[in-house]
Amino acid sequence: MKILVTGGAGYIGSHTIIDILDNTDHEVVSIDNFLNSDPETFERIKAITGKQVRNYNIDLTSYSTLKNEFFLKEGHIDGIIHFAALKAVGESVTKPVMYYQNNLNGLINLLKCAQKFDVDSFIFSSSCTVYGNAEQQPVTELTPTQTPESPYGYTKLVGEKILSDLAKTKLDFQALSLRYFNPVGAHISGMNGELPKGRPNNLVPVVTQFASGWVDDLVVHGTDYETRDGTAIRDYIHVSDIAHAHVLALEYLNTKKAASNYDVFNLGSGNGVTVLEVLHAFEKVSSLKLDYQLGPRREGDVEMIYADNSKATSLLNWELQFGIEDAMSSAWKWQKFLNKAKSGDKVPL
Ligand code: NAD
Ligand code: WQD
């Protein structure tokens, strides 16, 4: 099969490409305009898999470019995994039009092309953000979604709705929305990982960059939550486990096991972990002491969210390979790889 991965140079897209190349015979082609990534990602993918992935530097928000420069040139595509989106929750509040324009126009253009060029399998990157501040934990796929707090969250909820509406009208079109919880960690080689542009917002890159002196402070946002140590609980899931779920999801669609032509899956570990537990896991695997500060709650944060992942484990046969300490040690290995690159050592970066 020939699979289009959009956002293939990004954090989750690149790990998914590695998994596809390592575990299947599928051909992969990527579209990424490097809005939040760099072409060097494909050098790292090559160093890990031995394979060169072709990438089209195309902005998905331009329908004519997508149609003429990709679909007309590339020939038949068997399935699409759509990662490409802007993902900074805080930035989406200050730049809502940019987020709606990029995430929704990109999705709509891709779906127009999928219809025009008969691509029947579609996997969409959604997010646990659609559950908002759910009362019952863990959340299942039946837990009601809530009005999102941010434009980013809306783009995921609306994206899911567009797909489910399209699936109702086109029965040979099969789509899945995969709701990721908190993807963390890096490839086991330490040669590919998360490299956000600018100061990171997410906890794990802040931790590893703080430990390397790239950022000046590490603040625990909120210590008065009603949790076992007062800090917020999340479901941290290794990026390579998330990546592998996409290979299984493709197989699930391809073997027509799905009972309906649109469905939703939670991709989380099933474990709720506090912020302090993350910091302590990092300290354990790195043998470093983190000089963190305790601070107030961060606006918009929920107290607790973690997944019931039993639907993905049973229907997709998803088995988790990694835990929180694996995630922290691989993230740290990746950070040390980045430190080497910064110091001028020759690494594929
Ligand atoms: P990322 O920013 O690392 O990767 C996204 C990639 O898409 C980037 O390489 C970017 O350059 C590309 N891109 C963005 N807009 C584009 C456009 N208009 N045209 C072409 N390329 C474009 O993000 P990620 O962490 O890999 O996230 C992948 C997907 O998963 C996103 O849809 C994100 O919303 C979703 N998601 C991420 C998380 C997370 O915490 N990382 C959690 C839940 C859901
Ligand atoms: C985790 C915990 C912070 C940084 C976001 C999106 C969500 C999804 C995943 C895309 C929180 C705390 C963080 C720091 C801290 N993405 N923290 N100090 O906010 O759970 O989820 O990424 O869909 O939609 O909202 O992830 O990594 O930012 O935070 O104490 O310097 O770590 O307050 O409790 P979050 P995060």
Side-chain angles (χ1 to χ4, degrees):
M1 297 205 299
K2 193 196 263 190
I3 305 299
L4 164 61
V5 173
T6 73
Y11 176 44
I12 309 174
S14 60
H15 286 87
T16 300
I17 290 178
I18 291 167
D19 200 302
I20 295 174
L21 295 178
D22 280 349
N23 293 307
T24 74
D25 293 328
H26 305 329
E27 182 186 351
V28 177
V29 57
S30 163
I31 293 180
D32 198 307
N33 66 350
F34 307 117
L35 201 53
N36 192 37
S37 55
D38 291 296
E40 286 75 13
T41 307
F42 295 105
E43 300 305 311
R44 300 198 296 270
I45 292 175
K46 189 173 178 199
I48 292 169
T49 65
K51 292 172 190 157
Q52 184 70 53
V53 172
R54 286 180 297 123
N55 180 67
Y56 287 74
N57 184 341
I58 285 175
D59 183 343
L60 293 173
T61 63
S62 167
Y63 175 69
S64 58
T65 314
L66 183 62
K67 175 167 71 76
N68 298 328
E69 301 302 322
F70 180 79
F71 281 94
L72 282 174
K73 285 194 176 150
E74 201 51 46
H76 186 66
I77 297 291
D78 296 286
I80 297 175
I81 310 181
H82 178 43
F83 292 104
L86 289 168
K87 64 163 180 177
V89 178
E91 185 185 53
S92 80
V93 176
T94 56
K95 297 178 180 166
V97 176
M98 184 170 100
Y99 270 68
Y100 288 121
Q101 147 84 2
N102 193 69
N103 294 5
L104 292 180
N105 284 5
L107 172 65
I108 288 167
N109 289 339
L110 206 50
L111 290 174
K112 278 166 71 179
C113 287
Q115 289 181 269
K116 193 173 177 61
F117 295 94
D118 294 322
V119 188
D120 287 336
S121 296
F122 196 95
I123 297 174
F124 176 60
S125 296
S126 189
S127 167
C128 66
T129 197
V130 300
Y131 295 116
N133 212 349
E135 272 171 29
Q136 289 254 307
Q137 299 294 335
V139 291
T140 77
E141 290 80 356
L142 297 175
T143 300
T145 57
Q146 290 188 9
T147 304
E149 293 248 341
S150 68
Y152 168 77
Y154 263 108
T155 68
K156 293 300 168 189
L157 203 57
V158 174
E160 289 194 4
K161 178 76 176 131
I162 293 171
L163 284 172
S164 77
D165 286 348
L166 176 59
K168 281 181 207 144
T169 68
K170 198 174 179 310
L171 295 179
D172 54 354
F173 176 74
Q174 303 190 89
L176 299 177
S177 291
L178 303 183
R179 293 175 176 163
Y180 316 149
F181 282 65
N182 288 54
V184 290
H187 188 262
I188 196 165
S189 64
M191 288 167 63
N192 191 46
E194 189 170 10
L195 185 53
K197 289 191 171 171
R199 189 194 152 109
N201 299 306
N202 294 116
L203 180 61
V204 174
V206 173
V207 168
T208 57
Q209 293 196 12
F210 176 71
S212 292
W214 289 25
V215 298
D216 293 336
D217 53 356
L218 169 58
V219 180
V220 174
H221 298 315
T223 53
D224 58 350
Y225 289 108
E226 282 183 31
T227 60
R228 48 189 173 267
D229 61 20
T231 65
I233 287 183
R234 296 288 183 275
D235 186 332
Y236 298 92
I237 169 81
H238 198 293
V239 66
S240 296
D241 280 328
I242 292 253
H244 192 58
H246 291 77
V247 169
L248 298 173
L250 276 177
E251 204 176 302
Y252 181 74
L253 292 181
N254 192 33
T255 51
K256 312 246 183 271
K257 284 190 197 139
S260 83
N261 67 329
Y262 175 71
D263 211 347
V264 176
F265 287 92
N266 282 346
L267 295 185
S269 71
N271 300 313
V273 174
T274 70
V275 175
L276 286 178
E277 286 165 352
V278 171
L279 303 191
H280 295 151
F282 177 82
E283 291 182 325
K284 184 172 168 201
V285 301
S286 66
S287 304
L288 293 172
K289 195 94 197 89
L290 290 169
D291 188 15
Y292 57 82
Q293 297 156 280
L294 301 178
R297 292 182 181 198
R298 188 174 68 176
E299 205 185 328
D301 271 355
V302 299
E303 178 168 271
M304 179 187 317
I305 183 158
Y306 61 100
D308 178 328
N309 64 10
S310 53
K311 186 171 170 185
T313 55
S314 63
L315 292 182
L316 302 181
N317 294 323
W318 189 41
E319 287 176 24
L320 300 193
Q321 302 292 318
F322 304 103
I324 187 73
E325 287 185 11
D326 301 311
M328 298 312 284
S329 62
S330 58
W332 184 225
K333 205 169 169 186
W334 163 241
Q335 180 64 45
K336 288 191 282 188
F337 180 90
L338 293 173
N339 294 347
K340 252 186 174 178
K342 214 177 184 184
S343 73
D345 279 12
K346 204 168 161 26
V347 291
L349 185 74

